[in-house]
Amino acid sequence: MSQLFTRDTQAIFWNNNTTAIQRMLDYDYTIKRAKPSVAGIVAPTSNSKFDKFFYGPDEIMIPLYKNTAEAKAAQPQADALLNFASFRTAYDVTMEALEMGGFSSIMVTAEGIPERLARKMNATARAKNVTVIGPATVGAIAPGAFKIANIGGTIENIVQSKLHRAGSCGLVTRSGGLFNELSNIIAINADGIAEGVAIGGDRFVGSVFIDNLLRMQENPEVKYMLLLGEVGGTEEYKVIEAVKDGRITKPIIAWCIGTIAKYYDSGVQFGHAGASANGDMETAEAKNRAMKEVGIRVPASFNDLPEIISAVYHELHAEGIVKDIAEPSMNTCPKVRKSKEFICTISDDRGDEATYAGFPISSLATPDTGKGIGDVVSLLWFKKQYPKWATDFIETVIKTVADHGPAVSGAHNAKVTARAGKSVVESLVTGLLTIGPRFGGAIDDAAKYFKYANDNGMNPAEFLNHMKKEGVPIPGIGHRIKSLKNPDLRVEGLKKYAAKCFPATPLLDYALTVEQLTTSKKENLILNVDGTIGILMVDMWRALGYTEEEINEFITSGTLNAFFIVGRSIGFIGHVLDEKRLAMPMYRHPMDDILYDVQVAEKI
């Protein structure tokens, strides 16, 4: 793999570091990426499903997940993991991702991971051919394609350092701070960098100098390389051997900082955990001398780096190896941005024609489209285009629950309110307010309890015992009038439709085995219309490919009750209009229908 990242690379960001994520998205917008570089965020302690970020002047939503496995399953295309966990959990997060697979690179920002764990983590990554950047790193960048978190600094600094587009130099450092400084030096004295990696300051890091330089050797965009090492360690000697045996042929400029260490009587650590010499070979002076001996361009001091960079760049340019780079057009992030108060993901009225989940209304609403109310519900409620068998079933449900006569609580309320002279809206609302656990709620609960029993492998007898212990009558079972001998034709119609049109009906099949047991006790303990609707809704969603978690969320959020609300609204309105049409007077309940039991109040 000659390039770590491309313009299509997407990452999962572990820990919701909003500042770092926003910097990545500002970079994406500036370089005109087709899609944001952050596909999802692992936020274990958050109860939200997404977080909002700016993408240029507008906002986007990035989904939040509880763990890496959930994020990877939802975003399989994301092959980079940006591990911003603390040093206490960074090792576990990385090892989990390595065992999970699907990541080509993992960046670990934490410093202070115990060295024995860091060695094990790095060995596992090598065995699995995964590039680990860090620990203790600010990351890496492929200019014009992808950048990790805070590397390169602010957008203004990134553009000034020409990190918005690819240059010719491959830059590898230990230090994140000096990475930014060198990027700027290369931009001033040459044409910028083609790829850059800050490998990290801990003693044991995942990808070392030689790993990155060998990759850059294969990267056609890299024409020469700059290595910034430091006192401590022997990784620079691997580079020396690669130059000697011909594995690296591109020009290398290199410098190891820490030459001042020779003036100290005892070992001194210079900032990074790995910046301490444990022998003469690990001193900056020895490594600089050894690199120079094999032809690597080594300056007399750090201050001489700009001159050497300029010289190498102009040599390669004169030879035609480095070409002039045309500056690409860029977007400019606004200085002032305002967060939106509301979010809408189902419809859009900003264009010439409003859309339902991306579909123009005209493609759904006119008679010649062949679309019905079921199609509109599937788009506006579920943001998916359901097949015809499913939309027809939705319409059947709405028609089935539309009315059940004037005596039920909702219809009664609506009629009484209409007779008080209230409007259609006011009368409808009084009817809708009665819908809940006792009126319409059997649909929700039937789906909930039957699914729970089926998911947990309960046979009918075990299910009945479970409900008895819960102290809850089985929702969806029982009818005052209908029985095995006098079946509910609505239920029969729904069952026939499901048998003919549904790909499978596992929950209905299970419910019918429960019905066999309940009707053996009493003939009217049949599967009623509410139960049939709730159970078949679960079978429909399963057939449409929803996960069990998604179906459970539909149930708990009241989606099933919403079908009852829509359908029953048709009937309520019918009763209200009936009252208006008949010009019925104000309603007063007859006193002989009220049991009065009023006692003389006690004196206090």
Side-chain angles (χ1 to χ4, degrees), residues 487-500:
D488 189 333
L489 295 181
R490 297 173 302 170
V491 173
E492 296 305 304
L494 288 169
K495 290 194 294 187
K496 286 179 183 177
Y497 180 83
K500 178 181 177 182

Side-chain angles (χ1 to χ4, degrees), residues 142-215:
F146 179 90
K147 101 176 183 83
I148 291 176
N150 296 310
I151 196 165
T154 64
I155 283 295
E156 292 78 12
N157 187 70
I158 282 171
V159 174
Q160 182 179 331
S161 300
K162 299 180 181 177
L163 295 173
H164 61 287
R165 50 86 177 141
S168 302
C169 179
L171 174 61
V172 186
T173 74
R174 264 194 177 273
S175 168
L178 285 175
F179 181 96
N180 291 354
E181 177 67 20
L182 283 170
S183 296
N184 192 44
I185 291 172
I186 295 168
I188 293 170
N189 294 278
D191 63 357
I193 69 172
E195 181 188 347
V197 180
I199 66 171
D202 275 4
R203 186 168 183 81
F204 298 101
V205 293
S207 65
V208 293
F209 291 135
I210 188 63
D211 299 322
N212 291 286
L213 292 177
L214 286 175
R215 186 185 66 254

Side-chain angles (χ1 to χ4, degrees), residues 529-543:
V529 68
D530 290 350
T532 306
I533 290 171
I535 288 161
L536 281 177
M537 279 290 177
V538 174
D539 280 335
M540 179 189 76
W541 285 321
R542 281 175 170 169

Side-chain angles (χ1 to χ4, degrees), residues 71-152:
K72 182 61 177 173
Q75 306 292 339
Q77 80 289 354
D79 65 350
L81 177 68
L82 308 187
N83 183 354
F84 268 65
S86 70
F87 77 93
R88 296 178 184 85
T89 55
Y91 168 79
D92 292 332
V93 169
T94 303
M95 293 300 288
E96 179 191 24
L98 289 171
E99 292 304 318
M100 185 184 308
F103 295 105
S104 61
S105 62
I106 300 174
M107 172 265 203
V108 184
T109 187
E111 57 182 315
I113 295 175
E115 291 184 352
R116 64 180 180 83
L117 297 180
R119 290 197 298 270
K120 181 180 178 181
M121 180 178 75
N122 297 334
T124 303
R126 284 188 180 278
K128 294 181 178 291
N129 197 30
V130 176
T131 299
V132 170
I133 304 168
T137 179
V138 297
I141 186 170
F146 179 90
K147 101 176 183 83
I148 291 176
N150 296 310
I151 196 165

Side-chain angles (χ1 to χ4, degrees), residues 391-403:
T391 58
D392 283 350
F393 175 67
I394 288 173
E395 292 183 14
T396 300
V397 168
I398 292 172
K399 289 185 288 187
T400 299
V401 302
D403 189 43

Side-chain angles (χ1 to χ4, degrees), residues 397-412 415 439-440 478-482 488-491 528-530 533 564 567-575:
V397 168
I398 292 172
K399 289 185 288 187
T400 299
V401 302
D403 189 43
H404 207 260
V408 296
S409 60
H412 181 81
K415 290 171 76 68
F439 181 44
H479 201 285
R480 290 184 179 181
I481 303 171
K482 301 297 180 180
D488 189 333
L489 295 181
R490 297 173 302 170
V491 173
N528 59 36
V529 68
D530 290 350
I533 290 171
F564 187 82
R568 195 51 62 100
S569 292
I570 298 171
F572 290 167
I573 292 171
H575 287 294

